[in-house]
Amino acid sequence: MSLLPKNERKVAKETPRNFVIFGGTMHGKTYFADEFPNPLNLNTDGNAEMIETPSINIGNQRNAKGEIVRSAADMLSDVILELETTKHTFETIVVDVIDDIITMFEQEITEENGVKSVGDIGWGKGHQMLEMMVRVFVMRLKELSMKKQINILYLSRLTIIEENDVETYVPSLKLKWLNIVNGNSDYTILCRKIGKNYIRKVER
């Protein structure tokens, strides 16, 4: 059986887009995400019931002793698997917010290894594990996007960098993780609220 495709042109499918959307608190990130078609919000601040968008609270679930009994990573894996393998009408997945997801991954690693930070795990293995978890999560979402024609939105908070009296707005996500997410995204959009107006600006 040949692995080569036929040497003929085909009709290109409309490709769903992957977005990084960042902004300050109450500056319209979630509001903007809700304008995308049929969104599912993967919410990290426990306020899933406070928004109209269909949503799931994501977090490290703990027992009475404070031990993680079901990790955020496992929850996300199960959600992605269900989105991949079942019939549904969702067309957009909103990660709200990606900063918290990575913190949850880090919590799982440190608690499983009985350390205070991933850097305390020898030979850089903690950092390697965390990076692998982030990369696998992002790649699974990208595969879901292509397979099921679903938009992926990564929401991040805002950091303001001031230099020579000039303010620059950037996602609060650390550069290492931002590079991974950006590398698998098509657009980076800044959300700002100025007065009563909500402004969306394409940064990349």
Side-chain angles (χ1 to χ4, degrees), residues 2 10 60 100 118 123 126 144 165-166:
S2 176
K10 60 185 186 297
N60 288 320
D100 292 344
V118 292
W123 306 101
L144 172 68
D165 296 325
V166 176

Side-chain angles (χ1 to χ4, degrees), residues 1-122:
M1 181 178 176
S2 176
L3 297 176
L4 298 177
K6 289 183 179 180
N7 185 15
E8 59 185 31
R9 295 287 181 176
K10 60 185 186 297
V11 178
K13 293 182 179 179
E14 182 179 350
T15 304
R17 298 298 180 184
N18 296 262
F19 298 80
V20 175
I21 298 171
F22 70 104
T25 304
M26 304 300 289
H27 278 232
K29 299 186 300 295
T30 303
Y31 180 76
F32 180 35
D34 195 40
E35 296 181 15
F36 283 75
N38 293 314
L40 170 63
N41 188 294
L42 305 181
N43 186 272
T44 62
D45 59 13
N47 291 331
E49 291 77 18
M50 304 292 289
I51 58 178
E52 295 180 357
T53 309
S55 52
I56 302 171
N57 278 322
I58 301 296
N60 288 320
Q61 297 178 354
R62 301 176 183 275
N63 59 21
K65 297 180 181 180
E67 301 164 332
I68 295 176
V69 292
R70 189 185 184 203
S71 69
D74 286 341
M75 290 181 67
L76 291 165
S77 180
D78 291 344
V79 169
I80 294 171
L81 180 61
E82 188 167 344
L83 288 166
E84 286 175 335
T85 58
T86 64
K87 287 187 177 181
H88 57 81
T89 56
F90 294 112
E91 297 178 78
T92 303
I93 305 303
V94 184
V95 181
D96 188 7
V97 294
I98 183 63
D99 313 57
D100 292 344
I101 295 293
I102 295 173
T103 299
M104 292 172 191
F105 289 170
E106 190 168 3
Q107 284 179 339
E108 178 184 354
I109 292 170
T110 56
E111 292 184 31
E112 279 187 354
N113 290 273
V115 295
K116 292 183 178 180
S117 73
V118 292
D120 294 333
I121 302 173

Side-chain angles (χ1 to χ4, degrees), residues 172-188:
S172 63
L173 195 60
K174 289 182 179 179
L175 184 60
K176 178 179 181 178
W177 311 127
L178 183 61
N179 286 339
I180 293 173
V181 176
N182 265 339
N184 291 279
S185 299
D186 303 292
Y187 295 96
T188 300

Side-chain angles (χ1 to χ4, degrees), residues 145-158:
S145 172
M146 299 304 297
K147 182 179 179 181
K148 292 289 188 176
Q149 298 295 292
I150 292 177
N151 301 299
I152 308 297
L153 278 56
Y154 297 97
L155 274 55
S156 181
R157 301 185 182 96
L158 177 75

